[in-house]
Amino acid sequence: MISNQGLCKYDIKVANRKMILELLENNPPLSRIQLAKITSMSPTSMTRIVNDLTELNLITEVECEYTGIGRKSTMLSINPNAFFTLGVSVNTYYIEFCIMNFKMEPIFHKLVYMDSSKKISQKDLVDLCYSEYLIFLKESDFSEKIIKIIGISFPGSVDSQKKYIISCPCFNWKKDYTFCSYFEEKFKKPICIENDVKASLINEYYRHPTHRASSIAFLVLDNGIGCSFMQNGIILKGINNGAGEIAHITLDHPHSKTYCCSEAESCYCPPEDYRYNLCTSYILYLAREAGLQCKTIKDLSNAYLEGNSLAIAFFKSISVQVSAILNLIICLYNPEKIILGGYTMHTAPFLLDLALSNTDLFYQDVAENIKIELTLEPENEPILGGAVVALNYHRDKLIESSFLI
């Protein structure tokens, strides 16, 4: 049962119902009696909560195998068809769609590649998303009516409460209020928007509850780099939604210049500063400088696995930078767990072991007992996170509004 310290009756009612839903999400079907025991609630209170959630169509009674001993209990489970959400992930390279049911199960998924060489306006991007969305619906054989809300996973700094983009280097947008409003107008559905790295961490936390920790950092190495932080299930965003923007930390590079950890073509840092970071384009540039003729990270990874001496030396040097970033996160935030994701990490997963082998680069007294591991969803973190963000928002609104009728 939720403690009533500092909470009004309304808040307690909402929190208790969300707690029951989470128990049913993360366990096999449970009876009212089992739920009452787990939560230390009275049977009367539990019956009231179950009735409320049943009326909202969020839970359902299920048949379970009967042992023939004692009275048969009515078991309860999440109703997977209570409602569906649409996750949308966008960046300069592709648009991605995913329909998710109320059990957080992805039902249908599609990725559409874009021409990254062309600049695109906010309106044009929304129009493109909508035209591809209509094709996606036809291919998935889903009716538009069943989708209640859309969750957008977006590359850049966003204000998820006020629904606007603070900055998006990859599209060269700043302080944009038009994208979200036009998206809602075009799709005729409510939307949520979240930074893609934060959405990735939200997906990891909610869809993999057995891997939760009290404090988590999620590091992404991809077309850019980014990080998100979570404390007790709450994303830490900072006063300007800038928490985790490690791509803009300046570094001292061996060439005695100041470098920015952001993507080469699209940072707002002074143009005279050379763009240095572990984004895929810069890694490939460094590989070519080292004499490796590889067009993709996959090519580099294959060369390493085949025992190419240049590739082995190259990844060892890159691992030093990964170690430095991990040590920075450890010293600044000291989380219980650090999760690594993004294209670079799931294409070259051995990079984590190489980074962890650089023990002299870690502040050992602080790093002790911190779990550092790869994401459980190496290719779909942002898109699934967008769908989960929308699901949680719509679920909470349903529960909250039921007490205001």
Side-chain angles (χ1 to χ4, degrees):
M1 181 168 56
I2 300 296
S3 170
N4 62 6
Q5 187 174 2
L7 296 175
C8 67
K9 288 184 178 179
Y10 171 83
D11 292 330
I12 295 170
K13 286 181 178 180
V14 170
N16 282 337
R17 281 148 184 79
K18 288 165 65 175
M19 178 177 61
I20 298 305
L21 286 174
E22 186 168 346
L23 284 170
L24 293 175
E25 285 168 1
N26 302 329
N27 293 284
L30 297 169
S31 68
R32 291 170 175 80
I33 294 173
Q34 289 172 319
L35 287 168
K37 286 181 179 179
I38 293 170
T39 59
S40 300
M41 292 186 193
S42 69
T44 302
S45 296
M46 185 53 60
T47 297
R48 187 182 305 117
I49 291 172
V50 167
N51 289 344
D52 287 345
L53 295 175
T54 303
E55 286 181 12
L56 290 171
N57 201 35
L58 299 180
I59 64 174
T60 185
E61 295 183 353
V62 296
E63 292 185 6
C64 293
E65 187 177 347
Y66 181 50
T67 62
I69 301 172
R71 186 178 177 183
K72 185 176 181 180
S73 297
T74 301
M75 309 303 284
L76 302 165
S77 181
I78 290 291
N79 177 12
N81 300 320
F83 63 85
F84 294 81
T85 64
L86 176 72
V88 179
S89 179
V90 296
N91 63 35
T92 52
Y93 297 92
Y94 60 79
I95 303 168
E96 197 170 6
F97 300 98
C98 176
I99 294 175
M100 180 177 285
N101 69 15
F102 188 53
K103 285 192 76 173
M104 297 190 183
E105 298 168 332
I107 304 300
F108 197 80
H109 171 267
K110 183 180 180 181
L111 186 145
V112 181
Y113 287 100
M114 294 169 53
D115 184 353
S116 60
S117 65
K118 296 180 180 178
K119 290 188 176 181
I120 190 167
S121 69
Q122 292 86 334
K123 184 179 182 301
D124 288 343
L125 180 57
V126 173
D127 288 340
L128 180 59
C129 285
Y130 187 68
S131 62
E132 292 294 345
Y133 164 67
L134 295 179
I135 297 171
F136 170 73
L137 285 176
K138 288 181 180 178
E139 293 175 347
S140 65
D141 201 28
F142 266 81
S143 168
E144 187 178 15
K145 294 179 181 178
I146 70 165
I147 298 171
K148 299 301 181 184
I149 187 169
I150 299 171
I152 304 170
S153 174
F154 198 82
S157 181
V158 304
D159 188 319
S160 57
Q161 297 297 316
K162 296 179 181 178
K163 297 183 184 180
Y164 77 93
I165 296 162
I166 297 171
S167 68
C168 179
C170 67
F171 288 120
N172 201 25
W173 299 351
K174 252 193 168 183
K175 290 288 183 184
D176 175 72
Y177 294 86
T178 61
F179 177 77
C180 292
S181 59
Y182 187 57
F183 206 103
E184 284 189 320
E185 178 186 332
K186 188 75 176 181
F187 282 73
K188 295 181 172 57
K189 293 183 185 294
I191 70 163
C192 299
I193 187 167
E194 186 55 272
N195 164 265
D196 54 357
V197 184
K198 292 179 174 65
S200 296
L201 177 49
I202 289 169
N203 171 68
E204 195 88 17
Y205 182 84
Y206 282 100
R207 285 186 17 93
H208 302 283
T210 57
H211 290 260
R212 288 179 183 175
S214 60
S215 56
I216 310 172
F218 195 103
L219 174 65
V220 167
L221 302 180
D222 209 300
N223 296 317
I225 71 172
C227 192
S228 56
F229 305 113
M230 178 180 279
Q231 184 76 35
N232 296 323
I234 299 173
I235 291 286
L236 305 181
K237 298 190 175 185
I239 190 170
N240 295 314
N241 292 278
E245 292 289 347
I246 63 172
H248 299 275
I249 296 172
T250 54
L251 300 175
D252 289 329
H253 191 268
H255 298 160
S256 301
K257 276 181 147 187
T258 298
Y259 293 82
C260 171
C261 277
S262 193
E263 193 170 355
E265 299 81 12
S266 54
C267 182
Y268 287 111
C269 298
E272 62 270 14
D273 289 343
Y274 193 85
R275 312 293 180 246
Y276 165 74
N277 90 340
L278 289 181
C279 67
T280 53
S281 59
Y282 194 73
I283 289 176
L284 291 171
Y285 166 77
L286 290 178
R288 288 190 293 271
E289 290 287 294
L292 287 157
Q293 300 305 311
C294 296
K295 294 183 178 180
T296 66
I297 299 293
K298 184 68 175 176
D299 292 341
L300 277 175
S301 176
N302 288 338
Y304 175 90
L305 295 173
E306 290 166 2
N308 182 299
S309 58
L310 282 178
I312 291 171
F314 175 75
F315 272 109
K316 182 61 180 175
S317 67
I318 291 296
S319 76
V320 171
Q321 300 300 330
V322 177
S323 300
I325 295 171
L326 289 172
N327 190 59
L328 177 67
I329 293 170
I330 288 168
C331 292
L332 289 177
Y333 184 55
N334 201 220
E336 183 180 338
K337 178 185 284 191
I338 301 175
I339 302 170
L340 282 81
Y343 178 76
T344 299
M345 293 309 305
H346 75 72
T347 306
F350 52 81
L351 188 54
L352 176 57
D353 289 333
L354 289 175
L356 295 178
S357 70
N358 300 320
T359 54
D360 57 319
L361 298 178
F362 290 91
Y363 181 24
Q364 293 297 331
D365 291 345
V366 177
E368 188 177 6
N369 298 323
I370 293 177
K371 296 178 182 177
I372 304 177
E373 59 191 41
L374 296 173
T375 175
L376 295 171
E377 312 236 31
E379 295 187 65
N380 301 312
E381 314 111 315
I383 181 65
L384 293 175
V388 171
V389 167
L391 185 150
N392 287 343
Y393 179 86
H394 189 65
R395 175 205 63 197
D396 292 352
K397 286 297 180 183
L398 283 175
I399 295 172
E400 292 165 6
S401 62
S402 69
F403 295 113
L404 301 176
I405 297 174

